[in-house]
Amino acid sequence: MSMQADEDFDEEEVDLYEHYRFVIDKGQTPTRIDKFLTDKIAFATRNKIQQAIDVGAIQVNGESVKGSYKVKPLDDIRVMMGKPPRDTEVVPEDIPLDFVFEDNYLLVVNKPAGMVVHPAHGNWSGTLVNGLVYHFQQLPEMKGNEGRPGLVHRIDKDTSGLLVIAKAEEVMTHLAKQFFHHTIARTYLALVWGEPEEDSGTITGHVGRSAKNRKVMDVFADGSQGKHAVTHWKVLKRLRYVSLIQCNLETGRTHQIRAHMKYLGHPLFNDAMYGGDKIRKGTQFSKYKAFVHNAFELLPRQALHAMSLGFIHPVSNEKLYFEAPLPEDFQTVLDKWENYVNFE
């Protein structure tokens, strides 16, 4: 039997969950899958395995199975489980948070730009998770996801917008399944340099870490490296030098929109990591240069906002949809660009 990390999962979630793949040997005797996986995966209790089975997070040959399923030779088993415990203690901090929705099972929060989602090297305090632990003292610590309670996905520090947070392990697993199957609807707004020739399009290109700079993601159109990534985009406003773009993610790779839009030739406005913090379109007039640099100061980050989030409630099965308006810094700069092109 072989076991490996699964390469088909979104990189946004890759360090929040362990992804296993078992290809069963020809000599395997029939064994209940819940017992088989409990024996094979560290920290996996029978109850935790059953919860994952109940929400379809364990599949055999591409199909969900019941706990009574008997593992057979040559079966291809894929599993999504919480990571083993880490020695990570999250310190509660009284950080104001913008809650868009809350019930007994989950909540949706509108994260401001500049806030890191969870504690990590260099950012052990002041994160969204530090605030969550303060506001929700009873928020359960998810086994296998210590230090990041309730997290199902993330957005970058300097990206603003919506995140869904789970309040129970089975809810987190159910939501993670929706991310895995790409059924969660996510819409982003981005201000990019230039005007795309078409009004809409789809970018399909593997996204992976750059060999020159491991903090930056490159697009590998030939699929030679990275992971499959698809971004659907359309132009909402053309402002001669910049454009307001709507992006819908089919996958959720790290920096996917930022890397894809740079690959398209339209990096995000003031995205220093991807070359958007320089004047990429426009005149050489000093008045224009001063205008752009003033806009950089007003929006000192990449112009990216996670505007909407839609998913199925794990308990009620209700379709939920939420929107967050553009934050003040983004809206101010967008208004300035509109005024500039209309009255210059």
Side-chain angles (χ1 to χ4, degrees):
M1 178 190 67
S2 64
M3 185 182 84
Q4 63 189 58
D6 197 305
E7 294 297 324
D8 297 331
F9 289 80
D10 285 356
E11 191 155 340
E12 280 187 347
E13 288 79 52
V14 74
D15 67 349
L16 303 180
Y17 300 92
E18 293 281 13
H19 304 122
Y20 301 96
R21 181 183 181 188
F22 299 90
V23 180
I24 309 305
D25 294 336
K26 292 181 179 180
Q28 173 70 39
T29 57
T31 306
R32 283 179 60 103
I33 192 168
D34 51 1
K35 182 181 187 303
F36 175 86
L37 293 176
T38 301
D39 293 340
K40 296 297 182 183
I41 301 177
F43 303 101
T45 64
R46 183 74 72 92
N47 183 57
K48 189 170 183 178
I49 292 292
Q50 188 58 53
Q51 287 179 348
I53 288 173
D54 289 343
V55 298
I58 295 176
Q59 297 188 340
V60 179
N61 304 323
E63 300 290 338
S64 299
V65 296
K66 295 181 179 180
S68 59
Y69 176 86
K70 299 291 184 66
V71 174
K72 300 187 299 294
L74 303 181
D75 274 349
D76 187 337
I77 304 174
R78 300 195 180 207
V79 184
M80 179 169 59
M81 298 290 293
K83 274 197 169 183
R86 300 184 297 269
D87 294 329
T88 303
E89 180 182 358
V90 180
V91 179
E93 296 181 51
D94 186 4
I95 301 172
L97 298 176
D98 180 10
F99 298 111
V100 176
F101 174 84
E102 180 190 355
D103 65 11
N104 292 330
Y105 308 102
L106 57 85
L107 58 96
V108 176
V109 62
N110 184 16
K111 185 190 81 69
M115 176 181 282
V116 175
V117 171
H118 59 75
H121 180 70
N123 293 286
W124 295 112
S125 63
T127 74
L128 175 67
V129 165
N130 291 108
L132 287 173
V133 172
Y134 176 89
H135 289 284
F136 298 93
Q137 290 88 344
Q138 302 304 314
L139 189 66
E141 185 78 88
M142 307 303 177
K143 185 177 180 181
N145 196 25
E146 282 77 6
R148 302 173 183 180
L151 286 189
V152 183
H153 63 134
R154 299 169 295 164
I155 54 178
D156 294 335
K157 172 185 176 182
D158 289 328
T159 298
S160 55
L162 297 175
L163 289 163
V164 59
I165 308 295
K167 287 187 172 183
E169 185 175 358
E170 60 270 21
V171 173
M172 183 174 71
T173 301
H174 196 289
L175 289 170
K177 175 193 171 187
Q178 294 185 54
F179 275 98
F180 170 61
H181 290 294
H182 311 308
T183 57
I184 288 188
R186 290 172 287 174
T187 299
Y188 290 73
L189 294 182
L191 188 66
V192 304
W193 279 107
E195 292 186 311
E197 293 183 6
E198 305 294 331
D199 291 331
S200 63
T202 297
I203 307 171
T204 302
H206 280 45
V207 172
R209 296 200 179 276
S210 169
K212 297 180 180 179
N213 183 351
R214 300 298 291 174
K215 293 183 178 181
V216 174
M217 308 302 285
D218 281 343
V219 175
F220 301 91
D222 60 0
S224 60
Q225 299 181 52
K227 295 182 180 181
H228 176 66
V230 180
T231 302
H232 305 286
W233 61 271
K234 67 177 180 179
V235 178
L236 300 182
K237 290 183 181 180
R238 293 180 177 273
L239 299 171
R240 194 179 312 169
Y241 309 112
V242 295
S243 298
L244 182 66
I245 303 289
Q246 175 181 308
C247 293
N248 293 89
L249 296 182
E250 188 171 311
T251 56
R253 310 308 184 193
T254 299
H255 296 183
Q256 179 174 317
I257 292 174
R258 300 167 68 184
H260 268 176
M261 294 312 298
K262 178 186 178 181
Y263 174 73
L264 194 64
H266 302 282
L268 271 59
F269 185 79
N270 210 14
D271 188 349
M273 192 172 290
Y274 290 88
D277 60 339
K278 303 176 180 62
I279 295 177
R280 302 293 296 264
K281 182 78 173 178
T283 71
Q284 296 299 313
F285 295 129
S286 59
K287 178 182 177 182
Y288 175 75
K289 291 182 178 179
F291 167 82
V292 172
H293 287 295
N294 176 249
F296 284 159
E297 293 176 358
L298 292 171
L299 183 69
R301 62 178 180 100
Q302 70 263 12
L304 185 61
H305 175 64
M307 180 188 72
S308 72
L309 190 62
F311 54 91
I312 302 297
H313 194 288
V315 177
S316 69
N317 288 320
E318 179 185 2
K319 290 184 178 180
L320 300 180
Y321 178 79
F322 304 96
E323 283 192 0
L326 281 175
E328 184 177 0
D329 58 353
F330 197 140
Q331 187 64 59
T332 296
V333 168
L334 179 61
D335 291 342
K336 286 180 69 70
W337 273 109
E338 291 189 29
N339 290 332
Y340 185 86
V341 299
N342 289 331
F343 300 108
E344 70 169 321

